[in-house]
């Protein structure tokens, strides 16, 4: 869907707002959900979301996301102070 629609920012088409350089992004998750779409620029947000998993088995994963992997940006809000990027991370990354 994202590839067809193009880059979104806050739910609106905004191809000019796609980052032009790689961004370091973080995701807090248990290993089986490591490859999800939602990533943040804030390591603290990733730790917060990772802490939701029982037993403390969550890790914080980091990637240097290439611009063409980024599908959308969700601006910062009360539930994600650092905002989120929706990222299609290739299996090879």
């Amino acid at each position: 869907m994202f590839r067809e629609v193009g880059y979104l920012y806050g739910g609106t088409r905004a191809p000019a707002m796609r980052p032009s350089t790689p961004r370091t992004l973080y995701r807090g998750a248990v290993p089986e959900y490591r490859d999800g779409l939602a990533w943040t620029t804030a390591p603290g947000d990733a730790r917060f979301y990772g802490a939701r998993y029982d037993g403390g088995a969550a890790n914080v994963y980091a990637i240097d996301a290439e611009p063409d992997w980024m599908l959308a940006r969700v601006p910062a809000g009360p539930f994600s102070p650092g905002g989120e990027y929706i990222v299609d991370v290739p299996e090879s990354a």
Side-chain angles (χ1 to χ4, degrees):
M1 175 188 83
F2 286 102
R3 300 270 186 233
E4 183 71 25
V5 171
Y7 188 79
L8 299 174
Y9 182 88
T12 302
R13 282 181 161 184
M17 294 186 76
R18 182 189 304 261
S20 59
T21 59
R23 299 274 166 98
T24 300
L25 302 175
Y26 306 90
R27 179 172 172 76
V30 292
E32 58 266 27
Y33 294 117
R34 176 194 65 168
D35 298 327
L37 293 172
W39 294 77
T40 180
T41 58
D45 287 1
R47 280 189 294 279
F48 170 79
Y49 283 107
R52 297 175 303 163
Y53 296 99
D54 292 332
N59 299 308
V60 173
Y61 298 95
I63 59 167
D64 290 324
E66 295 294 332
D68 62 331
W69 302 353
M70 296 181 214
L71 306 174
R73 174 82 165 124
V74 179
F79 298 107
S80 183
E84 293 181 46
Y85 280 93
I86 307 305
V87 182
D88 186 13
V89 180
E91 287 184 34
S92 61

